[in-house]
Structures are given as C-alpha cells and as structure tokens.
Amino acid sequence: MQKWPIGVFTSIDAGLGVHLDVVEELKVPTVQIHAPHKETRNQAAADEFLAKCKAAGVEVTAVFGGFEGESYASIAETARTVGLVPEATRRERVQEMKEISDFAKMLGCDVVALHIGFVTEDKQSSDYQNLVEVTRDLLDHVAANGQRLHLETGQETADHLLEFIQDVGRNNLFINFDPANMILYGTGDPIEALKKVGHLVKSVHCKDGKWAPEAERGTGWGQEVALGEGDVGMETYLRTLKEVGYDGPLTIEREIPQDRERQKADVGSAVKLLEELRAKVV
Ligand code: MG
C-alpha cells in the first residue's frame, strides 16, 4: 500500500459515516467502518459488503464499535453513556465488542477500534481496576482473532491515555488518533498530544474542529467543521504524523449525517486537501 492512502469513515447501517456509494464516487481506496447493527453482523452480510468493497477497489482498514444507548449530546452525556466506562453496561458491551471483533475477522480486517469512554483518573478505584481487567479480557479475544484494538483519542488527555495503556499492558493495544477530538473535548493541544502518543498511533482520523470559548473548554463542545477550516492545522498535523513515523491511512471523518449532501461535498474537498498536502509533506 502507498504511504498515507486516503480513507473515509463509512457506515453500513449504523453510525455517522458516509455511505459506500460516496466512497466509490470519490475513488477513495480505504475505509474504516462503523460496525453494523447486531442483526447484520454475520458472514453473509460481511461477504456482501466485501464484494461491494472489492468492486469499488476499497480496503477496510478498521472496524469501529459503537453501542446502543450512547449519546454525544453534551460532554457530560458522553461521559455518562459512551464506551466501556459506564459500569451498568460494561459487561454486555465488552461481550458486544468481542462480537464486533469476530465480525471484523469475517471482513478479513485486523483492526478493531472504539471510544472506550472517560476513564477515571482515580487509579486506585475499583472502577479503574475493573476497566483495566475487562480491557485485557477484550484484548485477549481480539488477539485470538489476530487483531489489534485502537482506542480513539479525545476523552482522555494524552498523558492519561498513555498511563491507561501502560496499566493494561497488552501488546495489541494502540491508538486511533483524532486531532479534532482533542479540541472538541478540550483535552489538549492535538499536535503536542500526537508528539506524546505518536509511537502508539496505528490509525488516524483527519477531522477538524474549533475550540469552545476558553471558559467552556472541557465542559462545552467545540465545533466540528470541514477539514482545513478548524484549529488543528492540517499541514502541521501531517508534518507531525511524518515526524512520529506514521505511514498508515489518512481517514477522513465528517460527522454531519443529518446533511448527507454537505457531508459528501466536505469529504470531497477533504480528499483534495489531503492529496495536496500529502504531495507537499510526504
Ligand atoms: Mg474520530
């Protein structure tokens, strides 16, 4: 595969990504996909999707898990509902994530990924200890499928994410770096964060965002915007990816499924921008 192939975050039947026809039209060679609903996580559905990918010349580079009941309505709601962190649903979501790993295997994909949620900073708490344990259990299942697990950035600072990964202590746990999330959640400067965690970054999102006003940072959302129009600084982002030795896909994410036309137009512009910057930076 060429260095930094363009990718797009794509949905089969769940999640915020673009649909495969858009990927095909834009001639993008790779996708990360949001895992489909439970009923369509079977070999027949995998074969059908793979056939479409093959016809479109598209490779699936990661399968993202997501769960019923998750809400990104506010940062507080996200903390309460997202990922493996909420204790009431932790056990069932770990089980579901294992099933998503099995589905990814049916797709021949060796990477699964997720938002783990807001990991508590109280490392002595039983909540933290249990989260470490269930993550190990999940990683062992993922390893048996010949896969890695990538944690999406944003809900933790770079330092806290590194500590958690170190405490889990498994060799198939890595990072999907999303620079915009660092801004949207107010968890730190994305470029500084990337320099800190770069050695563990095995996949990335190319997404842009604007900081919330300073007084609201960390409690109120920043704003996700079209690539190149936010505060990430795409050229600096690519230069830093080069510096940390990343050469995997550049997967565009544009999270406005309520406006499919604009989503498609923005992804199209993002492809052009990344192709230009890649030629300049690579
Ligand atoms: Mg992302």
Side-chain angles (χ1 to χ4, degrees), residues 7-21 23 29-37 40-42 45-50 52-53 58-66 97 100-115 147 150 152 176 203-205 249 251-253:
V8 186
F9 195 84
T10 304
S11 292
I12 301 180
D13 61 14
L16 308 179
V18 301
H19 293 144
L20 196 62
D21 54 341
V23 178
T30 76
V31 292
Q32 291 186 349
I33 62 163
H34 189 286
H37 293 300
T40 37
R41 273 183 238 135
N42 52 53
D47 290 346
E48 191 188 336
F49 186 72
L50 272 181
K52 284 185 194 163
C53 287
V58 170
E59 183 188 342
V60 180
T61 60
V63 177
F64 262 75
M97 200 58 212
I100 289 170
S101 160
D102 296 344
F103 179 73
K105 190 181 181 188
M106 292 174 202
L107 287 173
C109 182
D110 62 1
V111 178
V112 285
L114 89 159
H115 284 270
Q147 297 160 332
H150 296 183
E152 173 93 348
N176 183 86
S203 58
V204 303
H205 286 161
T251 304
I252 298 160
E253 214 180 8

